[in-house]
């Protein structure tokens, strides 16, 4: 495949090279949702492609492409995913293919459609797998003990809220809640003054597992379909007051945003990163002889209302201490079952140097040192009207493997 | 209705009096799941009742009763729930009714069918609303600060795991996990040695709410369909090691059991309890001028393998500090949305005196003082083969409003 060139023009800076082929759900104006695959500036209408015979060599249930989520397609399993990927790559490079012949019907301009939430999420789990982030936040919340004694022995995580997972371009309203302000001994009811984003990745479960049956770290990746960009919105003042002893609740459950495109593990396979040194050595069930991370460049930018974009941070998922295989092995160690569409998010991804902080809490040292956008603008936390853009990509020799834009605007609190 | 007597014989000690009429999903041998309503020793086959014209005065979608969960029926809304309740109570007291006429087809013996998980749970939230329990457990986990400063200001909660919610009579396998044993500085990988039950109630959400729109405590009960018995299985040694700083994870997500029957709020309306004194006064969004609890008698019993039943504890839901209205108002304060079938559990329900502990952690003072079952048997925590039975009922003048049995056996850990 590597020497072949697509007959379709793919801009060099596009997230959607021939090696990517991520999945999403799109909607034409006044039409029903359809499963699509991104390529360059286009989307392959998978339902139309199927109708026209692009996938004729394999018994595909056509209706699986005329759905409002990817779940049923994912449930068809890895042989189908691989078949689809192979056929699309082949036909996108063959001017005589069925896909090329019906291109005017099958290819849809991305600019002309609306992207929907790609996954129906059953359960969503948020890990805490960046050591740099855990240390920086720990210093702010618990100066006497930044990194808990358990942190290097297991991938710490909490169960998040699935109902409030929203698509890119769905706005987030500044939440109200309880805050213990410094001036008073009693909590107050107020819109959050410390609204923050969290730059994360989320792995999408591709296969059901059985209740009571742990998954080993070796077999863990067989349970993963792909990866999304993830923004776990957080109200830091609510969080500080409520999180003891059972973890964050209203400070996190008001919204989490996911990217429109799910990039498959197949596409990311060429962009694995060497294992991060783990000391002490984790227990055997967390050991993974082939342990590897992912080398995904990540960035977050902010645009004030009526302003222009300012870069806030750049980081990389290869800094993560715990891998998805370890997270999944730990998640199921006690027998918890996974279902197709469940999300396992990494937690905020930070890096070892300044400018690599995956959230404002960390970048501003707990709201004490503002992040300067330019001579005029700065931020302690997010302001109404701000937009946050998260991007991620791997740069290959024949193009990018990217996730598209995860972009969200902040609405003012209800009065 | 109160003066009318049903033509059906209902044993005095039955959970399922004419005033109850709880909903569940049952299955005849080799048949498909059907929605049922319990009455005495019988179940009303709602699909058959509908086919025979019992509900002819209201436009009911018949298929809503031929489902494997209650969710679609619940989605029909309160006017339907009320209509169904009224019709059933009326026809169960009228020997000339359609229901009486077709009784041999519509009524199914409970002993002849299998009960299934009644609800498809989207998200499950576990509160921590018993002050007696929070204090007792807090003393064990954090002797220096048993009740956190936030506890009396907000109903503390964490997001639980929905995928591992199981029906009554589904066994629970003793989980493996990480434990920091007292003898060593390093954690070990072991089957839990501190397996525990948690006696709880769970409220079933009956109406979707909108993302970004808090629900007030006054309107909260309009979002509740009914109540279940709930057992939030816990591995205390895993919990102690993992829970800081983000809350319980593998120690809880391996299983939670729910009762086969959902008792409606309509049925419980006659069994409301006076408000528990709350000091300090909660913030305005948590205030509820009509604040009331529920007077539900609760019990938990244990049966060792090949043994007989021993009572472990008796308590009552009226001891709970926070009400469902306050829990729901707090859950949505930051804008989190609720979906039909979501569960809001109370947390372990304990009471003010000895013998009212809702879990073994509390009853054994952290595993230090065994609970004596008789001269031979005692328990620190649960043993393989043990069965736990949770029951709950309200005793009315014309019979009981009960939940049926929530019964679970412990399987040994995988080797």
């Amino acid at each position: 495949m590597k020497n072949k060139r697509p007959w379709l023009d793919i801009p060099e800076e596009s997230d959607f090279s021939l090696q990517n082929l991520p999945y999403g759900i799109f909607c034409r104006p006044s039409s029903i949702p359809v499963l699509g695959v991104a390529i360059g500036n286009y989307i392959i209408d998978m339902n139309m492609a199927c109708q026209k015979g692009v996938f004729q060599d394999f018994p595909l249930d056509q209706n699986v492409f005329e759905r409002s989520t990817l779940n049923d397609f994912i449930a068809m399993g890895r042989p189908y995913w691989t078949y689809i990927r192979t056929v699309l790559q082949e036909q996108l490079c063959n001017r005589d293919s069925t896909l090329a012949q019906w291109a005017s019907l099958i290819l849809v301009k991305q600019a002309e459609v609306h992207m929907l939430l790609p996954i129906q999420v059953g359960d969503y789990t948020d890990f805490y797998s960046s050591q740099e982030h855990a240390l920086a936040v720990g210093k702010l919340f618990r100066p006497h003990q930044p990194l808990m004694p358990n942190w290097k022995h297991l991938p710490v995580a909490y169960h998040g809220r699935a109902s409030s997972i929203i698509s890119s371009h769905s706005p987030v309203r500044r939440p109200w809640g309880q805050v213990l302000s410094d001036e008073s001994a009693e909590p107050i009811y107020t819109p959050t003054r410390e609204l923050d984003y969290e730059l994360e990745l989320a792995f999408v479960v591709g296969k059901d597992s059985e209740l009571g049956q742990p998954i080993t770290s070796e077999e863990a990746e067989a349970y993963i379909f792909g990866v999304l960009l993830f923004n776990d919105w957080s109200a830091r003042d609510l969080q500080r007051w409520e999180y003891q002893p059972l973890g964050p609740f209203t400070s996190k459950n008001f919204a989490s945003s996911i990217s429109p495109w799910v990039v498959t593990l197949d596409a990311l396979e060429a962009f694995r990163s060497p294992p991060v040194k783990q000391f002490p050595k984790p227990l055997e069930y967390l050991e993974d002889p082939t342990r590897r991370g992912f080398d995904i460049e990540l960035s977050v930018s902010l645009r004030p209302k009526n302003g222009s974009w300012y870069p806030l941070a750049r980081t990389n998922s290869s800094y993560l201490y715990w891998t998805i295989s370890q997270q999944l092995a730990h998640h199921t160690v006690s027998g918890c079952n996974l279902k197709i569409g469940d999300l396992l998010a990494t937690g905020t991804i930070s890096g070892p140097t300044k400018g690599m902080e995956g959230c404002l809490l960390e970048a501003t040292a707990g709201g004490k040192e503002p992040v300067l956008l330019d001579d005029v603008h700065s931020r302690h936390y997010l302001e109404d009207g701000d937009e946050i853009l998260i991007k991620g990509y791997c740069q290959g020799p024949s193009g990018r493997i990217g996730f598209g834009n995860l972009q969200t605007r902040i609405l003012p609190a209800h009065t």
Side-chain angles (χ1 to χ4, degrees), chain A:
Chain A
M1 278 315 303
K2 282 189 178 162
N3 299 323
K4 289 202 179 171
R5 304 279 307 166
W7 43 260
L8 188 75
D9 180 48
I10 300 174
E12 209 172 311
E13 73 285 3
S14 170
D15 272 349
F16 309 119
S17 67
L18 186 67
Q19 304 306 319
N20 192 354
L21 305 181
Y23 291 90
I25 300 290
F26 73 96
C27 209
R28 289 185 183 81
S30 315
S31 189
I32 59 167
V34 176
L35 200 143
V37 169
I39 182 81
N41 293 329
Y42 291 87
I43 297 174
I44 300 166
D45 177 332
M46 294 292 282
N47 192 44
M48 184 62 77
C50 189
Q51 275 182 39
K52 293 301 174 194
V54 171
F55 310 117
Q56 64 183 355
D57 300 331
F58 216 90
L60 285 171
D61 173 6
Q62 185 182 312
N63 284 333
V64 90
F65 297 128
E66 206 177 83
R67 297 288 163 89
S68 57
T69 72
L70 297 176
N71 295 52
D72 288 340
F73 169 71
I74 295 174
M76 295 177 76
R78 196 166 295 275
Y80 286 84
W81 315 338
T82 305
Y83 167 74
I84 296 282
R85 181 173 172 82
T86 308
V87 168
L88 289 181
Q89 287 189 333
E90 201 171 85
Q91 298 207 12
L92 282 166
C93 293
N94 177 358
R95 285 181 188 277
D96 299 325
S97 66
T98 313
L99 180 51
Q101 185 188 340
W102 294 99
S104 62
L105 283 176
I106 293 172
L107 294 181
V108 187
K109 281 191 184 142
Q110 284 177 30
E112 290 173 1
V113 303
H114 179 62
M115 297 303 297
L116 303 178
L117 197 71
I119 303 282
Q120 186 186 352
V121 182
D123 278 294
Y124 138 54
T125 303
D126 203 19
F127 285 84
Y128 193 49
S129 289
S130 159
Q131 186 175 187
E132 292 81 5
H133 173 68
L135 261 174
V137 170
K139 276 179 195 159
L140 299 169
F141 277 51
R142 296 170 302 277
H144 58 289
Q145 188 178 44
L147 212 56
M148 290 286 177
N150 57 17
W151 199 92
K152 290 198 163 184
H153 292 282
L154 52 83
V156 169
Y158 76 100
H159 301 120
R161 179 81 189 176
S163 70
S164 54
I165 291 178
I166 55 176
S167 58
S168 180
H169 292 84
S170 298
V172 166
R173 192 169 287 286
R174 178 180 301 274
W176 285 76
Q178 274 198 38
V179 171
L180 191 71
S181 57
D182 299 331
E183 311 91 50
S184 149
E186 296 295 307
I188 57 168
Y189 172 60
T190 174
T192 177
R193 300 145 177 181
E194 301 182 13
L195 184 57
D196 203 356
Y197 59 87
E198 288 195 335
L199 165 59
E200 307 192 15
L201 293 174
F203 289 81
V204 181
V205 171
K207 190 166 122 178
D208 289 346
S209 80
E210 207 180 314
L211 186 67
Q213 294 288 352
I215 297 166
T216 66
S217 50
E218 285 89 346
E219 63 188 346
E221 285 193 9
Y223 285 83
I224 299 297
F225 172 69
V227 182
L228 288 157
L229 299 176
F230 195 88
N231 185 345
D232 191 39
W233 298 97
S234 300
R236 301 302 186 182
D237 40 3
L238 274 61
Q239 186 178 356
R240 213 163 29 240
W241 170 233
E242 76 174 358
Y243 89 103
Q244 292 269 27
L246 298 183
F249 183 53
T250 63
S251 60
K252 299 265 194 181
N253 67 12
F254 59 95
S256 306
S257 303
I258 62 178
S259 61
W261 297 104
V262 186
V263 174
T264 64
L265 280 206
D266 282 347
L268 293 170
E269 192 47 42
F271 303 93
R272 303 306 293 253
S273 59
V276 168
K277 190 170 152 60
Q278 293 186 328
F279 183 84
K281 197 175 145 191
L283 282 164
E284 200 178 330
Y285 79 93
L286 290 171
E287 266 184 43
D288 180 1
T290 60
R291 182 163 61 90
R292 294 176 303 166
F294 291 92
D295 179 17
I296 303 170
E297 288 287 333
L298 297 161
S299 68
V300 56
S301 313
L302 185 152
R303 178 163 69 181
K305 196 175 176 181
N306 305 320
S308 45
W309 287 107
Y310 298 98
L312 285 181
R314 297 189 73 84
T315 182
N316 191 297
S317 59
S318 63
Y319 297 128
L320 288 165
Y321 190 86
W322 297 104
T323 65
I324 177 60
S325 297
Q326 294 177 313
Q327 288 172 346
L328 202 146
H330 184 63
H331 202 315
T332 62
V333 65
S334 61
C336 180
N337 56 330
L338 301 177
K339 290 189 172 173
I340 289 168
D342 287 351
L343 297 186
L344 279 68
T346 57
T348 306
I349 304 175
S350 297
T353 61
K354 192 147 179 67
M356 291 187 165
E357 302 88 356
C359 64
L360 284 172
L361 174 70
E362 203 181 324
T364 66
K368 287 192 282 288
E369 302 159 15
V371 169
L372 303 177
L373 304 178
D374 59 20
D375 294 347
V376 182
H377 298 87
S378 69
R379 285 291 179 278
H380 290 87
Y381 287 102
L382 297 175
E383 297 186 1
D384 294 345
D386 282 354
E387 278 180 285
I388 287 292
L389 172 64
I390 292 179
K391 289 192 66 77
Y393 67 87
C394 311
Q395 183 66 54
S398 48
R400 281 193 175 183
I401 313 274
F403 294 80
N405 292 353
L406 173 51
Q407 187 172 337
T408 315
R409 200 173 72 254
I410 306 299
L411 302 180
H414 282 301
T415 48

